[in-house]
């Protein structure tokens, strides 16, 4: 691509990918903003998917590093969930080739308002760690199940996977929102790395767009993860509503 062709693409992609990184580092769901940005900029769908992984992966790595540095995650369960998510994602991708994603679209349209209402009427959601209600083995099993199921959803359909995973780590496993966010970052890092390598080997990454986008995403993730680490649930909880709203808009637009 020539510089003349790249400038308008950068003008569209870079600001939106920065915003996506900021939101994703706090509550997940940044792909709801970043992927459409590449499509709006004119990249064909396969190149948009691959370049989106390039733009998002490095920002997620940085956010993960910050959570690890502050010890705001549970390493054993995060690692196990990441491995389970890789298996689930592979199976979900295979299932996507056989089942129409439109059925899941309709299901999510019913689920998203329920999730929004649940968060709205649970003001103390994730305010404190409640993992002590589980034995270590049960906690590990729950987290592996979360990684496998949400990873499968990510491979099959994808939108909002990080948000769903964070909510599952909070409600089912009992982590507070900050640790749930840290665990989610580890799982997302693993899946993003695998996806990026796959797309890169297939030649489906426009590096001249992906590298500047990655820098913008890193900046967004740096600012967002700092806000999350500093503000905890007070910052993360409102972002859930932003992500669920974006997801609802995407689901409706896909159906229409």
């Amino acid at each position: 691509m020539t510089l003349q062709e790249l400038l308008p693409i950068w003008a569209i992609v870079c600001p939106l990918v920065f915003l996506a990184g900021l939101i994703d580092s706090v509550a997940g769901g940044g792909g709801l903003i970043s992927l459409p940005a590449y499509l709006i900029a004119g990249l064909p769908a396969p190149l948009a998917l691959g370049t989106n992984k390039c733009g998002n992966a490095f920002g997620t790595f940085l956010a993960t590093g910050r959570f690890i540095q502050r010890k705001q995650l549970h390493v054993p369960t995060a690692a196990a969930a990441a491995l389970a998510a890789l298996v689930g994602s592979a199976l979900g991708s295979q299932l996507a080739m056989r089942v129409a994603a439109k059925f899941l679209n309709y299901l999510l349209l019913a689920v998203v308002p329920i999730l929004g209402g649940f968060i709205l009427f649970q003001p103390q959601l994730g305010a404190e760690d409640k993992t002590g209600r589980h034995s270590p083995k049960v906690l590990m099993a729950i987290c592996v199940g979360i990684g496998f199921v949400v990873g499968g959803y990510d491979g099959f359909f994808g939108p909002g996977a990080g948000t769903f995973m964070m909510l599952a780590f909070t409600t089912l496993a009992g982590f507070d929102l900050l640790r749930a966010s840290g665990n989610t970052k580890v799982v997302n890092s693993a899946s993003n790395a695998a996806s990026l390598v796959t797309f890169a080997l297939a030649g489906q990454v426009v590096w001249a767009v992906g590298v500047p986008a990655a820098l913008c995403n890193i900046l967004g993730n740096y600012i967002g993860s700092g806000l999350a680490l500093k503000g905890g649930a007070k910052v993360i909880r409102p972002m859930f509503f932003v992500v669920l709203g974006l997801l609802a808009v995407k689901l409706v637009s896909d159906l229409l």
Side-chain angles (χ1 to χ4, degrees):
M1 283 186 174
T2 65
L3 182 60
Q4 190 174 2
E5 292 172 319
L6 287 169
L7 285 174
I9 295 175
W10 289 339
I12 294 171
V13 167
C14 287
L16 291 175
V17 170
F18 166 80
L19 179 61
L22 192 150
I23 290 175
D24 196 60
S25 66
V26 177
L32 295 168
I33 297 174
S34 62
L35 181 57
Y38 294 100
L39 296 170
I40 292 169
L43 269 65
L47 287 175
L49 287 167
T51 309
N52 181 54
K53 289 299 179 185
C54 176
N56 291 349
F58 296 100
T60 304
F61 296 158
L62 180 137
T64 302
R66 296 196 76 185
F67 276 89
I68 292 173
Q69 185 181 27
R70 299 286 187 90
K71 298 180 180 179
Q72 292 293 349
L73 74 161
H74 189 260
V75 176
T77 55
L83 291 174
L86 291 176
V87 176
S89 181
L91 294 175
S93 298
Q94 292 295 319
L95 183 63
M97 300 176 192
R98 296 171 173 80
V99 181
K102 199 169 185 178
F103 294 111
L104 188 54
N105 202 324
Y106 284 117
L107 177 62
L108 285 174
L109 272 176
V111 170
V112 166
I114 294 172
L115 284 175
F118 176 76
I119 297 169
L120 182 64
F121 293 107
Q122 293 286 329
Q124 297 303 313
L125 177 68
E128 59 184 43
D129 188 282
K130 297 181 179 179
T131 53
R133 66 192 182 193
H134 304 300
S135 70
K137 288 183 179 179
V138 170
L139 180 63
M140 182 65 74
I142 290 172
C143 292
V144 167
I146 291 170
F148 181 78
V149 172
V150 182
Y153 164 77
D154 195 23
F156 179 75
F157 194 60
T163 304
F164 293 148
M165 187 169 294
M166 200 184 305
L167 285 171
F169 275 129
T170 303
T171 56
L172 301 179
F175 289 108
D176 60 76
L177 279 175
L178 205 53
R179 284 204 169 187
S181 184
N183 277 20
T184 299
K185 296 294 172 289
V186 172
V187 179
N188 282 347
S189 289
S191 60
N192 280 344
S195 295
L196 177 56
V197 170
T198 302
F199 279 108
L201 291 175
Q204 297 294 340
V205 177
V206 182
W207 296 104
V209 177
V211 172
L215 294 174
C216 294
N217 193 264
I218 286 171
L219 180 59
N221 268 276
Y222 183 82
I223 294 172
S225 58
L227 290 172
L229 287 165
K230 185 177 180 180
K234 291 180 181 179
V235 173
I236 296 172
R237 190 171 177 274
M239 280 293 187
F240 277 134
F241 294 106
V242 174
V243 175
L244 291 175
L246 290 171
L247 180 56
V249 170
K250 184 185 186 305
L251 293 171
V252 172
S253 64
D254 285 349
L255 288 174
L256 295 177

